[in-house]
Amino acid sequence: MVVAEDIGVPSWDLYELSIPCTVFGKPQPDLADPWYDLRLCSTGDHQQDSSASGAGLTMRTHYGLDDLVGADTVIVPSVPDPCVDEGRPLPSALITALRRAYDAGARMVSLCTGAFALAEAGLLDGRRATAHWMHTAQLAERYPKVQVDDSVLYVDDGDVLTSAGLTAGLDLCLHLVRRDLGAHVANQLARRMVVPAHRPGGQAQFIDLSVPTTDDASLGPVLDWARKHLDQPLTVEDLAQRAAISPRTLHRRLQAATGTTPLQWLLNQRLARAQHLLESTDLPIEKISELSGLGTANNLRHHFLKQIGVSPSNYRRAFPRTTPQSSPSPLKSRDQDGEGRQRTDRGASDTR
C-alpha cells in the first residue's frame, strides 16, 4: 500500500510516487504469479492550502488510512516539503495509521522524505535509516534517536526499510522484489525497466554516471572492466593501473563516488556474481567460488555468512532455479484477496 497526499501532490514528488506504482503495480505473470496487489492510499487531508498543490495536480484514491491496517507492506514515498523544510506537523491521522499498521505486522518502507513520517511515528527510533542527502541533517537534528546514515542508497533493517531520494527509491523497491521473489525476478524486472539490476542495500557501490564529476569520469570504464574479470585475482593496484591513477587516488575517488573502499566494492561485486550463479545455475559451490573470484568454497561460505547472513547452500534452497512460468511467490500474504494476489501494504505505497 502506498500512501499519497489526497490533494496537492508536487510535481517533484511524483517521481517517488511513481516508483512503487511501476515496480509493484503492473502484473508480471511470466516472472511470478501471483504478483503484488498494489493500492494507493490517501491521507484524506483536505485542509491543505492551495500553495501545496504544485503543478495543479490533485489526486483521489479509493483507499484511506484505515486500509493500512492489514497491509503486508506500507510505503511512504514522500511527505510535503513544508513538513521537512519548515517543520509543519504531519497529519496526526497519518502517524496514527502508520503506527497501527506496524503494530499489526506490516513491513514499513519509506522513500526519500517519507522517512520523516516513519520517524515521527517512532518507527525509526534506535534504527539506522537514510533519506535524501539534502535532508539527512534535518532528519538527524529533528529525530536524535534515529541513526541517520547519509552515505547509502538504502537501509534494510528487516521490517523497516528506508531509501535516499529519487532513483535510490527504485533501488529499494527492486531490493524488495529481490527479497520477496528472488534475484532472477528482480533482475528480469530491472532489465525491462532499463535500470541497473543489483545495487545491494547498505552501500552505494556504483558510480552515479548520470551526474559524474570530471575527476571521476575514468572510473566508469575501469569498474565495468572489473565486473567482467571478477574470476581473476584483482587487486587495488590492478584497478588503479587500469584507470591510470595511483591506488591512493583510486581509493579516494571510489570512496567519494560509492561510499565504499575498492576492496569492499570488489567483494560486493563478487558476492553479487555468486548470488546470480547460485540462483541461475546448478554449478557446485566450488565452481561458483572460482567464477566469482572468491577462491575456495570455504571463503565463499565465510563471506556469505558475514555479508548476507546465510550459507550459499541455504541461499540456493531459498531461491531455487525455476522456469519463469512456474515461479511461485515465496512470500505468502497474511491476507490474500479472492484471486490469491499478494497484498503488500506498507507505508505510503501499498504493495498489496
Side-chain angles (χ1 to χ4, degrees):
M1 181 170 290
V2 179
V3 180
E5 293 300 314
D6 190 55
I7 62 172
V9 180
S11 56
W12 181 262
D13 292 338
L14 281 176
Y15 186 79
E16 277 92 1
L17 178 60
S18 70
I19 288 171
C21 294
T22 301
V23 172
F24 304 112
K26 180 180 179 180
Q28 307 283 346
D30 59 322
L31 297 182
D33 192 12
W35 193 249
Y36 298 88
D37 176 16
L38 179 138
R39 301 177 184 181
L40 288 176
C41 172
S42 168
T43 62
D45 185 9
H46 299 280
Q47 303 303 315
Q48 295 182 6
D49 58 56
S50 59
S51 64
S53 63
L57 178 70
T58 62
M59 179 175 295
R60 295 291 186 271
T61 70
H62 293 294
Y63 304 99
L65 293 176
D66 290 341
D67 293 295
L68 292 182
V69 176
D72 296 312
T73 299
V74 175
I75 302 174
V76 185
S78 63
V79 299
D81 288 343
C83 296
V84 176
D85 300 330
E86 303 168 14
R88 181 182 299 180
L90 287 161
S92 59
L94 169 63
I95 303 307
T96 299
L98 293 178
R99 289 172 181 156
R100 290 180 60 204
Y102 178 75
D103 290 342
R107 177 175 60 183
M108 309 302 291
V109 179
S110 69
L111 313 182
C112 195
T113 58
F116 284 79
L118 299 190
E120 183 66 24
L123 304 183
L124 299 183
D125 288 356
R127 295 179 183 265
R128 181 165 164 262
T130 193
H132 193 293
W133 62 267
M134 293 179 65
H135 305 299
T136 48
Q138 294 163 295
L139 182 66
E141 180 180 2
R142 196 170 303 171
Y143 304 101
K145 294 182 180 180
V146 181
Q147 302 169 16
V148 179
D149 188 342
D150 63 357
S151 68
V152 295
L153 291 174
Y154 59 89
V155 173
D156 181 342
D157 197 30
D159 57 349
V160 178
L161 302 91
T162 56
S163 84
L166 298 172
T167 305
L170 178 56
D171 295 317
L172 177 52
C173 287
L174 287 173
H175 172 69
L176 290 172
V177 174
R178 182 175 292 107
R179 264 183 51 169
D180 295 348
L181 304 175
H184 172 76
V185 173
N187 291 347
Q188 292 303 310
L189 179 61
R191 180 173 297 176
R192 293 178 183 183
M193 299 176 68
V194 198
V195 296
H198 190 71
R199 306 208 299 176
Q203 297 189 54
Q205 60 180 300
F206 295 101
I207 283 184
D208 185 357
L209 296 178
S210 62
V211 285
T213 62
T214 302
D215 288 342
D216 290 343
S218 63
L219 286 184
V222 72
L223 297 186
D224 288 339
W225 174 83
R227 293 188 189 99
K228 296 176 182 177
H229 296 81
L230 291 175
D231 58 332
Q232 301 179 13
L234 301 177
T235 66
V236 176
E237 287 72 21
D238 293 332
L239 298 183
Q241 183 177 9
R242 186 80 183 183
I245 55 180
S246 69
R248 178 177 295 182
T249 299
L250 175 69
H251 187 285
R252 175 174 55 81
R253 290 184 182 177
L254 194 62
Q255 181 77 42
T258 69
T260 190
T261 66
L263 285 177
Q264 185 63 48
W265 184 88
L266 276 172
L267 176 59
N268 291 339
Q269 299 302 311
R270 296 188 192 284
L271 288 172
R273 170 72 60 81
Q275 286 178 294
H276 171 71
L277 292 173
L278 285 168
E279 296 190 10
S280 61
T281 74
D282 294 322
L283 292 172
I285 301 298
E286 291 75 12
K287 186 62 176 179
I288 290 176
S289 303
E290 177 185 336
L291 292 175
S292 59
L294 289 168
T296 66
N298 284 338
N299 198 37
L300 174 63
R301 293 187 186 97
H302 168 76
H303 288 296
F304 243 72
L305 286 169
K306 184 177 180 180
Q307 302 290 331
I308 301 175
V310 297
S311 70
S313 297
N314 286 337
Y315 183 88
R316 172 172 268 170
R317 281 192 288 269
F319 300 108
R321 184 161 65 100
T322 58
T323 59
Q325 289 77 9
S326 62
S327 296
S329 172
L331 288 191
K332 297 301 182 182
S333 166
R334 291 183 295 105
D335 184 13
Q336 292 181 331
D337 64 16
E339 298 177 357
R341 293 176 296 180
Q342 181 177 346
R343 291 177 51 194
T344 316
D345 300 343
R346 282 188 169 60
S349 172
D350 183 358
T351 58
R352 292 180 172 245

